[in-house]
Amino acid sequence: MLADLRTHLLADSAVATLFGTRLYHVALPQGVVYPAASLNVVSTQRLGVLDRATTTPGLTQSRVQCDVYADSYLNADAAANTILAVTEAVARDTVGSTLFFGIETEDVQTSIDPGPEDGSRVYRVRVDLMTSHKEA
């Protein structure tokens, strides 16, 4: 699911232009150029099926943490909003082997993190996304 979410995000021209290939799984590599983002599945809940007529068999909800990093707060916020515009527009879409039913924004937090050893700072916007999906 995570690889398919990354593929979906990078298929959007605004995301691809802004991030290029700098949309990583779990953590950023050392020496990364900003803006950059990481995607990490924080939790997964497989939903039980009580009534096949009203629920979707095999439906899974996963909380995905998307951390967006940039050299200023305004750049981090703008980059996070570019990703949110794509995720919030997802209705029902198959990407790779994942059928997405929707992606909702659960939480948005901002922070300033210590940068490399040169004393600079890195601005981060952490977005928690709740994805509803199943394997296609």
Side-chain angles (χ1 to χ4, degrees), residues 40-94:
N40 186 28
V41 176
V42 176
S43 65
T44 298
Q45 179 181 10
R46 292 180 183 13
L47 303 177
V49 177
L50 299 176
D51 178 0
R52 292 189 187 277
T54 59
T55 60
T56 303
L59 183 64
T60 301
Q61 286 187 321
S62 296
R63 181 180 301 276
V64 176
Q65 180 178 307
C66 177
D67 288 332
V68 179
Y69 300 87
D71 55 1
S72 74
Y73 169 74
L74 291 177
N75 289 342
D77 187 57
N81 283 321
T82 301
I83 287 177
L84 286 172
V86 176
T87 60
E88 290 174 352
V90 170
R92 185 180 177 115
D93 191 15
T94 300

Side-chain angles (χ1 to χ4, degrees), residues 10-22:
L10 290 174
D12 180 82
S13 62
V15 172
T17 299
L18 188 60
F19 290 97
T21 59
R22 297 180 312 275

Side-chain angles (χ1 to χ4, degrees), residues 4-39:
D4 292 335
L5 177 59
R6 181 182 185 274
T7 298
H8 178 73
L9 290 171
L10 290 174
D12 180 82
S13 62
V15 172
T17 299
L18 188 60
F19 290 97
T21 59
R22 297 180 312 275
L23 188 54
Y24 301 97
H25 295 265
V26 185
L28 301 183
Q30 289 185 348
V32 70
V33 174
Y34 300 114
S38 64
L39 298 169

